[in-house]
Amino acid sequence: MIRYLRHVRPIYVRRTWEIRVVLSVAAFSCVLAAASFLASLSSLRVCAQQTAPAAPVVVQPGAPGKPTQVLPPTTKGALPPASPADVQFMQGMIMHHAQAVEMTALIESHTENKDLSSLGARISRSQSDEIKFMKRWLASRGQPISEAMNDMHHKKTHDMSHMNMSHEPMALMPGMLTSEQMEALRKAKGEEFDRLFLTGMIQHHGGALTMVKDLFDTAGAGQDAELFNFATDVDSGQRAEIRIMQNMLERKPLKEKR
């Protein structure tokens, strides 16, 4: 019996120790899990606090020597007043661009020159988009889309009623084609149309460059960021197109490409 007890006791002690180890590990794991859960809850609370929308604060810097003011959250920014020269530039350029779009609309029925068709599509697309931009710019500043016509312009005779955009009795912007030039363009076909279109559009683009130069030469004009970017884009884009058209004219003769 004594021998048996001596044999069993070490086994009992060892098993008891193993059970205690397992229980200790299990208890430690439970503690870790509980701590992790509590940390997650705390993190969620912090995230909820961080994502809660804060009331907007509108601060208006004070003038020199004046304190800064906190404005109501409903305060909205206002665009600076537009320079009269800026407004006149946009109004005039809308009319200027409109004639260029009208000229490009003649290409499909007057020539089969593929190079000219490609150029015309590019001009029509870009200037149509720019007309939309200019109208938005004017409307956002409470300005009319076109300059007011004088009394003489309102007194159109009956036989003027058929006149289209280019024949309106309005003062032409620099470079715009006269009614006689537009009529000659409408009557021309093939190579003659190509020549008249290119020379007319070079003249037209040159007028746009003059308008941009006059804008920036006017004191206080061209300071609006949107207008400045637009005017400089017009200048660089139309200079590039003038070079393209001059190269097309230098091909002798201008051949129709079928």
Side-chain angles (χ1 to χ4, degrees):
M1 184 67 177
I2 294 174
R3 289 181 181 178
Y4 173 77
L5 290 175
R6 288 178 180 174
H7 174 72
V8 171
R9 180 178 175 78
I11 297 175
Y12 172 79
V13 172
R14 184 169 64 252
R15 293 291 172 83
T16 303
W17 180 81
E18 289 175 352
I19 291 170
R20 288 177 179 174
V21 170
V22 170
L23 291 174
S24 298
V25 170
F28 184 73
S29 299
C30 291
V31 171
L32 285 179
S36 177
F37 178 73
L38 292 174
S40 298
L41 288 177
S42 176
S43 177
L44 287 174
R45 291 194 192 97
V46 171
C47 290
Q49 292 173 355
Q50 290 177 345
T51 56
V57 177
V58 182
V59 178
Q60 181 183 44
K66 301 291 183 179
T68 296
Q69 294 182 342
V70 177
L71 304 179
T74 55
T75 302
K76 295 182 179 179
L79 292 169
S83 158
D86 291 349
V87 173
Q88 291 170 8
F89 171 81
M90 289 298 214
Q91 291 170 336
M93 193 62 81
I94 288 174
M95 182 170 68
H96 196 273
H97 274 29
Q99 188 185 65
V101 173
E102 183 185 357
M103 291 170 67
T104 62
L106 298 172
I107 293 176
E108 183 177 2
S109 57
H110 287 64
T111 184
E112 295 181 4
N113 187 320
K114 292 183 179 179
D115 286 345
L116 197 66
S117 296
S118 177
L119 174 67
R122 168 180 166 176
I123 292 173
S124 178
R125 183 170 54 252
S126 64
Q127 300 212 11
S128 295
D129 288 344
E130 288 172 351
I131 287 173
K132 294 176 183 176
F133 163 76
M134 290 185 283
K135 288 181 176 180
R136 287 196 304 270
W137 188 92
L138 288 166
S140 66
R141 288 158 178 78
Q143 298 294 332
I145 300 303
S146 60
E147 295 183 76
M149 299 171 66
N150 59 33
D151 293 339
M152 180 183 69
H153 290 162
H154 285 294
K155 296 175 182 178
K156 297 181 180 179
T157 59
H158 181 70
D159 46 329
M160 283 183 177
S161 60
H162 69 281
M163 289 185 174
N164 59 25
M165 194 180 305
S166 295
H167 287 83
E168 288 179 359
M170 297 176 68
L172 297 178
M173 295 295 104
M176 287 183 67
L177 275 62
T178 64
S179 58
E180 292 78 13
Q181 287 178 298
M182 286 297 296
E183 188 62 24
L185 186 64
R186 290 188 192 91
K187 292 179 178 178
K189 294 283 185 178
E191 291 185 11
E192 178 63 11
F193 175 85
D194 297 350
R195 184 184 65 80
L196 289 178
F197 179 90
L198 290 171
T199 55
M201 193 60 81
I202 289 173
Q203 168 190 320
H204 199 273
H205 277 26
L209 300 182
T210 298
M211 292 173 68
V212 172
K213 181 179 183 301
D214 290 345
L215 173 72
F216 289 134
D217 284 347
T218 303
Q223 303 302 308
D224 178 274
E226 284 187 303
L227 183 142
F228 177 86
N229 291 335
F230 167 70
T232 52
D233 285 346
V234 168
D235 186 271
S236 60
Q238 299 211 10
R239 285 182 190 279
E241 288 174 354
I242 286 174
R243 290 192 292 270
I244 291 171
M245 291 186 286
Q246 287 173 337
N247 290 335
M248 292 174 71
L249 273 175
E250 288 171 3
R251 301 174 192 168
K252 298 181 181 181
L254 269 170
K255 295 181 179 180
E256 295 183 25
K257 298 185 180 181
R258 301 182 185 276

